[in-house]
Amino acid sequence: MTDVILVDDDASVLDGYREVLELEGLEVAAHGSVAAAIADLRADTGAVIVSDVRMPRHDGFDLIAAVRGIDPDIPIVLVTGHGDVPMALRAMREGAWDFIEKPADPLYLIETIRKARAHRQLLLENRQLRLTADTDGWETRLIGHSAPVVALREKLKRIAGVATDILVIGETGTGKEVVARALHDFGDRKGNFVAVNCGAIPETMLESELFGHEAGAFTGAREKRVGKIEHADGGTLFLDEIESMPTAAQVRLLRVLQERVIERLGSNTERSVDLQVVAATKADLHQLAKQGQFREDLAYRLDIARIELPPLSVRKGDVGLLFRHFLALAAKRQGRTPPKVDTAFLADLDRRPWPGNVRELRNVAERFVLGLEDVGEGRNFDGSLTLEEQMDRVERTIILDSLSAQEGRVGATADQLGISRKTLYLKMRKHGIAARAEDGDVT
């Protein structure tokens, strides 16, 4: 486990600090740029960051800002040969743990790091205790310590129980139904939580499913049926993939939202309903409205309290935590002991793009328990790696690290690695690494 993350563009200074700290028994990860350090940073790290202030492209203050977006409680010690009182005050004001002038006294630097590490370890232990106790239940519903998830939990706590409809926006697999259920469970409504996937029900059946029908309302309607909206009276109606709802059903839903009344198909009797509607979408409803694919008035009526879910790719440090959680659940379901997970595999998970988000990660955990997941994108079931598989993993890691150091610029990365741009593209395609578009790139 890394104890100290060093950041300095001067290789000789970097090597000097690393040697001093390693002699003290500290595990050190050294980086020559802020971009490389951030690419390697996890929200659940127990490490202290020690960084130079003045560096090309991104400086120590940029580092502070980036780290605050991942976990504002990670201690950062800034070291500079250009220190002055205003700079020191700015560093402390922006969240630095300490500010040390070069040449740093090794004993003082080590003492500062040890104090910062002890504080960090205590904070992480307290977080784990809170997660275990979880008196309000939110942290076990929405697992993660990354800044986007912490902010999401706080917003949901504020909005749970409000007397308004809610729009949840997020990519596939980000947990829209999990959020809707949490809002219902931690809100004030005691009725049913009723979930409807608007994209999974045939258009001819959707209105009957939502509004219900009287006997004889249409061919095959032999008896009265209570619809999903009426069944959710006193509770919450969750409408997933709302963008898939047919226009006719949108018109009727708008009336429900505005007047809180429904009419079953084949009936002229209005029935009052008291419910909260949580609609979920992966699309921009307002953009769809401009294209004539969704009612504009319904889009505005739904978009009162908006919740945007972060994709897994921006939840720095949450992948390992979520994976272990899903692993434990999958093992319990299968009646097995959770298998051991090595750090190399967790690092591989952190580097994956996760287009399927949390749902995809949960599936990986299920496969891992069953022995079906290719660890490191090519591990034999007996746990050993072939030479070719190990070389592929190393090559993939080197390319990712170089891309991070070059801020995703393919041309600069190819130059750094000493290969042609075409060769790099072929290797990136082989390892499933997405390329950022650049001027002059052929995509």
Side-chain angles (χ1 to χ4, degrees):
M1 179 182 292
T2 302
D3 299 313
V4 184
I5 298 172
L6 291 177
V7 189
D8 200 307
D9 61 314
D10 189 326
S12 61
V13 172
L14 206 59
D15 289 340
Y17 282 148
R18 175 163 49 190
E19 184 175 346
V20 168
L21 298 177
E22 287 179 344
L23 285 173
E24 288 295 315
L26 297 170
E27 185 75 26
V28 178
H31 300 282
S33 70
V34 169
I38 292 300
D40 195 38
L41 187 61
R42 298 164 54 92
D44 58 353
T45 183
V48 176
I49 299 175
V50 178
S51 174
D52 190 16
V53 175
R54 297 193 178 181
M55 292 177 286
R57 193 173 291 274
H58 299 294
D59 63 14
F61 294 104
D62 294 329
L63 175 65
I64 291 176
V67 170
R68 286 178 66 181
I70 298 170
D71 184 342
D73 295 318
I74 296 174
I76 303 175
V77 178
L78 293 182
V79 184
T80 182
H82 312 277
D84 54 26
V85 173
M87 183 181 286
L89 289 173
R90 179 188 171 195
M92 305 306 285
R93 188 167 56 248
E94 295 190 15
W97 173 271
D98 205 345
F99 186 89
I100 302 174
E101 286 195 66
K102 290 181 181 178
D105 180 342
L107 293 178
Y108 181 73
L109 178 62
I110 291 166
E111 180 186 3
T112 301
I113 289 171
R114 291 201 183 282
K115 286 180 179 178
R117 280 198 71 244
H119 175 79
R120 178 63 176 170
Q121 292 300 326
L122 181 62
L123 185 144
L124 291 176
E125 288 170 12
N126 288 338
R127 280 183 180 177
Q128 190 58 45
L129 287 172
R130 285 201 309 272
L131 185 60
T132 303
D134 196 16
T135 54
D136 62 13
W138 282 100
E139 291 195 24
T140 50
R141 292 295 188 94
L142 298 165
I143 296 172
H145 295 314
S146 63
V149 171
V150 171
L152 174 63
R153 274 199 301 264
E154 292 304 312
K155 186 171 185 178
L156 291 172
K157 288 178 186 179
R158 292 195 304 270
I159 209 170
V162 298
T164 188
D165 300 320
I166 296 171
L167 181 64
V168 181
I169 302 173
E171 296 177 6
T172 298
T174 47
K176 295 186 284 293
E177 184 166 350
V178 170
V179 166
R181 284 186 180 274
L183 287 168
H184 172 78
D185 291 345
F186 299 135
D188 301 324
R189 296 189 170 272
K190 306 304 180 187
N192 298 317
F193 176 86
V194 180
V196 179
N197 188 320
C198 300
I201 302 174
E203 183 173 341
T204 54
M205 296 175 58
L206 183 60
E207 286 193 67
S208 174
E209 283 289 317
L210 286 175
F211 300 95
H213 61 256
E214 298 291 347
F218 51 85
T219 303
R222 297 176 181 173
E223 56 186 29
K224 178 178 68 177
R225 176 190 174 94
V226 173
K228 300 293 188 183
I229 295 174
E230 201 171 341
H231 186 51
D233 189 19
T236 301
L237 176 68
F238 174 58
L239 297 175
D240 198 8
E241 296 188 29
I242 187 74
E243 71 275 12
S244 303
M245 181 176 284
T247 304
Q250 291 180 37
V251 174
R252 298 194 66 176
L253 176 63
L254 181 61
R255 182 163 184 255
V256 173
L257 297 179
Q258 291 173 336
E259 301 178 23
R260 261 31 185 193
V261 296
I262 67 162
E263 288 182 14
R264 295 177 188 160
L265 296 179
S267 171
N268 293 319
T269 303
E270 291 185 344
R271 290 173 173 80
S272 297
V273 286
D274 175 20
L275 77 167
Q276 181 177 51
V277 175
V278 179
T281 179
K282 59 181 179 291
D284 184 334
L285 297 184
H286 299 288
Q287 187 62 36
L288 292 179
K290 289 179 181 178
Q291 297 168 2
Q293 299 176 36
F294 198 83
R295 287 188 63 92
E296 185 176 26
D297 48 4
L298 180 57
Y300 280 109
R301 184 62 183 77
L302 288 169
D303 196 3
I304 298 173
R306 175 189 291 207
I307 300 292
E308 296 187 23
L309 305 188
L312 188 56
S313 58
V314 304
R315 294 174 55 177
K316 267 290 202 183
D318 284 349
V319 171
L321 190 63
L322 283 164
F323 181 74
R324 292 184 187 279
H325 170 72
F326 292 137
L327 202 63
L329 292 179
K332 184 178 180 181
R333 222 171 9 251
Q334 299 293 337
R336 303 185 180 192
T337 301
K340 292 184 178 179
V341 187
D342 60 40
T343 54
F345 181 54
L346 289 176
D348 175 63
L349 292 181
D350 257 344
R351 288 190 291 266
R352 295 189 189 184
W354 300 114
N357 293 290
V358 177
R359 183 182 299 148
E360 182 184 356
L361 179 60
R362 185 178 60 214
N363 293 341
V364 169
E366 293 276 356
R367 294 197 298 270
F368 193 90
V369 167
L370 297 172
L372 302 176
E373 173 64 19
D374 292 339
V375 180
E377 300 186 8
R379 182 184 288 272
N380 298 327
F381 291 158
D382 65 359
S384 64
L385 283 171
T386 66
L387 176 61
E388 182 179 358
E389 290 164 347
Q390 292 184 66
M391 291 175 67
D392 280 346
R393 176 184 288 186
V394 170
E395 184 178 76
R396 186 176 193 274
T397 300
I398 290 172
I399 291 172
L400 283 167
D401 289 346
S402 184
L403 281 167
S404 295
Q406 299 299 331
E407 299 185 332
R409 291 174 293 130
V410 175
T413 300
D415 291 341
Q416 183 188 54
L417 295 175
I419 58 177
S420 69
R421 182 178 294 201
K422 180 179 179 181
T423 299
L424 179 56
Y425 271 123
L426 291 173
K427 290 182 179 294
M428 289 170 67
R429 184 179 303 170
K430 172 185 174 183
H431 296 301
I433 302 171
R436 188 190 76 179
E438 300 181 57
D439 292 339
D441 278 356
V442 179
T443 58

